[in-house]
Amino acid sequence: MTIINKVRETIRANGLIEEGDTIIVGASGGPDSQFLIYALMELRKEMDFTIILAHLNHLHRKEANFDESLVEETAEKFALSFRKKAASMDAYAKKYGISSEDAGRRLRYEFFREIQKEYPKSKIAIAHNLDDQAETVLMRIIRGTGVEGLRAMDYRNGDIIRPILDIKKAMILDYLNSEQIPYAIDKTNFTTDYTRNKLRLDIIPKIEKINPNFKESLVKLSEIATDEISISDSYIKNIYEDIIIQRKIDFVSFDKEAFESQDKAIQSRLIRCAIGEIKKEIRDISKENIDNFLSLVDLANGKSIIKDDLVFLKSYKFYKMSLRKEDSQKKTGELTINIGEELSFGGKRIKISSVSDFQKKHGKNIEYFDMDKLTFPLSVRFRKNGDKFKPIGLGHRKKIKDFFIDMKVDKEKREKIPLILSENDIIWVTSFRSSEDYKLDPSTKNIIKIEVYDED
């Protein structure tokens, strides 16, 4: 089978390209992307699709301008649309505190996405080859990946396609050289400063002395893992959906009892599912990370485990995996409000009005007070250390912290519950309990109503 036929077979077997598609090729000028362009041009003789070459100049190497010129010349040779952009990967890496490799990848995909917005039926073609796949699997093994990490790269991931993932690097170079197709050489690929380069240039060649087919073995391992995962995924998915009690774009909550009833191995998979749902990827999550999250089961309610931007929380009734966000609530400060006014505070709308008589309350968002016992304006803030109040019906003062514990209020929610105060005295822990000292009694003449609602 010729190398072009092998690419054709991969594309057809995995449904990577359809009639009428626009294929945005990540064109670096290197041998892999040059081969991908020429292979796609051969296949375009049989199918109707459009090719756009997209080149991002990382401003990282002296040869960068040559690489750009080579891609532009290739575009001109085949009369293809050519799009280019310059952005410093080193500056981006410094700004966001990430590696240069990661910065380059993010910048490339941002660029490809910008182009993609112009074409409704478009896909991004990336020139990853079999060697790249093998290196990815090995890197993940070294970092302690779970089974999911062994899947490495897919032929298709949404709108991203990898048509030459079955082709070895040596075959690509042989083809380019025999056809006298020009390509650029990235000299940084021959240094061991980067992890992937060290694997490619040092570690893998040594292992290949023991097993010449080591790369193919790694890819086979990835394929086996993919098959095994597809079998178990449907089973885990059913459990996952059954125990979820709430989900939003940045968090997933499990029923506490249902989660704890599962075998530890299944709990691990459920955590991975939750991370995948809210982060859209789990490639940097190791078994050690998952085991660390699972240690939360043995901790007290209200405790949490944090890893980078992920927070796994244990509540009285649920476990919650969420993306970590800066707590803007604590920056809200303290506001004042008078009778007849309405304000926004901590995601709530708070309104005070004078009423002629007491009406039956519906829900916990309305409370009535004896106006003559209060000093206006009232204050609205979140709790502070040492806060106390006298819950109605109790007869003595109690720490807000102890009140929340008794009421089994989750630790993360305690900081987001507005308190209403008269001077420095808490008259209402909103949606929970008002103070004994400000309740209506037979001598009450003037009544105020306070309403607290979620903002739309």
Side-chain angles (χ1 to χ4, degrees):
M1 181 183 292
T2 67
I3 190 170
I4 298 298
N5 284 338
K6 193 170 181 63
V7 177
R8 180 187 289 108
E9 184 179 83
T10 297
I11 290 174
R12 288 179 175 172
N14 296 280
L16 303 185
I17 299 177
E18 300 171 336
E19 295 281 343
D21 278 349
T22 295
I23 306 300
I24 301 166
V25 179
S28 67
D32 301 329
S33 67
Q34 283 291 93
F35 170 70
L36 176 58
I37 295 167
Y38 277 77
L40 290 178
M41 287 304 301
E42 284 294 318
L43 297 174
R44 202 175 69 161
K45 297 174 182 178
E46 309 163 15
M47 297 179 66
D48 178 24
F49 61 90
T50 302
I51 300 174
I52 296 174
L53 304 190
H55 177 81
L56 181 69
N57 186 334
H58 292 113
L59 304 175
H60 182 66
R61 302 181 296 111
K62 296 178 181 179
E63 301 86 0
N65 290 334
F66 171 78
D67 299 348
E68 181 180 305
S69 298
L70 177 58
V71 177
E72 188 166 15
E73 290 170 6
T74 304
E76 291 174 354
K77 175 179 179 179
F78 293 119
L80 299 174
S81 175
F82 174 60
R83 306 289 288 273
K84 64 180 180 179
K85 182 179 180 179
S88 172
M89 60 189 281
D90 294 324
Y92 190 96
K94 184 177 180 180
K95 180 178 179 180
Y96 292 100
I98 58 178
S99 69
S100 293
E101 288 177 290
D102 192 19
R105 182 182 64 83
R106 294 188 190 186
L107 286 169
R108 286 194 298 276
Y109 279 100
E110 285 177 9
F111 176 45
F112 301 153
R113 297 294 183 198
E114 289 173 10
I115 300 172
Q116 195 175 29
K117 292 176 183 177
E118 303 173 24
Y119 303 92
K121 192 182 178 184
S122 60
K123 295 168 184 170
I124 300 169
I126 306 299
H128 288 133
N129 58 45
L130 184 143
D131 291 45
D132 296 321
Q133 180 78 314
E135 292 162 8
T136 299
V137 174
L138 184 56
M139 284 179 67
R140 293 184 180 179
I141 291 173
I142 291 171
R143 291 172 177 171
T145 186
V147 177
E148 289 88 349
L150 295 179
R151 294 174 66 171
M153 296 179 287
D154 294 323
Y155 293 103
R156 181 170 183 171
N157 183 11
D159 55 5
I160 298 173
I161 61 174
R162 298 180 175 88
I164 64 171
L165 199 56
D166 289 329
I167 312 297
K168 294 185 70 173
K169 182 77 167 201
M171 294 175 64
I172 290 172
L173 293 174
D174 286 345
Y175 177 83
L176 294 175
N177 293 331
S178 65
E179 297 294 323
Q180 296 185 332
I181 296 172
Y183 56 88
I185 298 296
D186 184 350
K187 293 180 180 178
T188 62
N189 287 335
F190 298 99
T191 67
T192 55
D193 295 340
Y194 302 112
T195 302
R196 185 177 287 271
N197 285 358
K198 187 171 183 63
L199 291 178
R200 179 186 302 135
L201 301 173
D202 186 17
I203 296 175
I204 291 179
K206 289 178 180 177
I207 298 175
E208 285 180 323
K209 291 179 180 178
I210 302 171
N211 177 8
N213 297 317
F214 178 60
K215 292 175 185 174
E216 288 86 346
S217 297
L218 287 173
V219 173
K220 280 291 182 184
L221 175 62
S222 179
E223 292 172 353
I224 292 170
T226 299
D227 290 341
E228 293 294 331
I229 291 168
S230 66
I231 294 171
S232 62
D233 270 354
S234 58
Y235 174 70
I236 297 296
K237 186 68 174 177
N238 288 336
I239 299 175
Y240 182 70
E241 293 298 331
D242 284 344
I243 72 170
I244 285 178
I245 56 177
Q246 191 177 14
R247 61 168 22 124
K248 289 191 177 179
I249 192 170
D250 58 352
F251 77 83
V252 173
S253 294
F254 300 141
D255 178 86
K256 182 172 180 285
E257 185 176 344
F259 180 77
E260 291 180 351
S261 70
Q262 304 298 326
D263 181 83
K264 185 177 179 181
I266 294 178
Q267 289 177 347
S268 297
R269 292 291 300 275
L270 294 172
I271 290 175
R272 286 187 175 277
C273 287
I275 295 172
E277 179 170 338
I278 63 177
K279 288 199 71 173
K280 311 305 178 189
E281 64 176 13
I282 57 171
R283 65 192 184 100
D284 293 327
I285 304 299
S286 67
K287 184 180 185 300
E288 182 181 358
N289 299 145
I290 298 298
D291 288 344
N292 192 31
F293 282 134
L294 279 179
S295 68
L296 185 67
V297 174
D298 298 321
L299 301 181
N301 293 326
K303 297 294 185 180
S304 61
I305 302 291
I306 299 173
K307 182 202 180 295
D308 300 331
D309 58 345
L310 288 169
V311 180
F312 193 40
L313 169 76
K314 181 179 183 179
S315 169
Y316 291 96
K317 296 182 179 180
F318 60 82
Y319 286 89
K320 180 180 180 181
M321 180 65 73
S322 62
L323 290 177
R324 189 179 186 184
K325 297 185 291 187
E326 184 174 332
D327 190 357
S328 60
Q329 303 287 2
K330 293 183 179 179
K331 296 183 177 182
T332 308
E334 184 171 324
L335 300 179
T336 59
I337 184 170
N338 223 321
I339 297 173
E341 294 181 343
E342 184 175 347
L343 58 77
S344 175
F345 183 89
K348 304 285 186 180
R349 295 298 300 176
I350 302 174
K351 180 181 179 181
I352 300 181
S353 55
S354 175
V355 295
S356 58
D357 57 7
F358 169 81
Q359 297 177 0
K360 184 177 180 179
K361 293 188 295 180
H362 297 281
K364 298 180 179 180
N365 61 313
I366 296 176
E367 191 58 87
Y368 293 88
F369 298 89
D370 187 325
M371 184 173 70
D372 297 320
K373 297 178 181 178
L374 302 171
T375 301
F376 292 90
L378 302 181
S379 300
V380 184
R381 64 168 172 81
F382 294 119
R383 78 181 182 105
K384 298 178 180 178
N385 289 334
D387 272 346
K388 296 181 179 180
F389 86 123
K390 187 190 291 186
I392 192 166
L394 187 61
H396 63 82
R397 295 175 69 78
K398 189 180 186 71
K399 284 186 177 181
I400 295 288
K401 178 182 178 181
D402 294 336
F403 172 75
F404 282 148
I405 292 173
D406 291 345
M407 296 296 291
K408 294 187 176 181
V409 179
D410 297 326
K411 191 173 182 180
E412 66 163 5
K413 291 184 178 180
R414 299 174 193 174
E415 311 300 326
K416 302 175 183 178
I417 297 172
L419 307 179
I420 312 294
L421 296 87
S422 173
E423 293 188 312
N424 293 318
D425 203 11
I426 297 169
I427 70 169
W428 188 21
V429 178
T430 59
S431 301
F432 284 93
R433 194 81 61 85
S434 59
S435 170
E436 175 77 22
D437 292 336
Y438 303 93
K439 70 179 183 180
L440 304 182
D441 59 40
S443 66
T444 299
K445 296 180 180 179
N446 300 300
I447 303 172
I448 65 164
K449 179 173 71 172
I450 303 180
E451 302 169 79
V452 179
Y453 297 98
D454 290 332
E455 289 188 302
D456 295 330

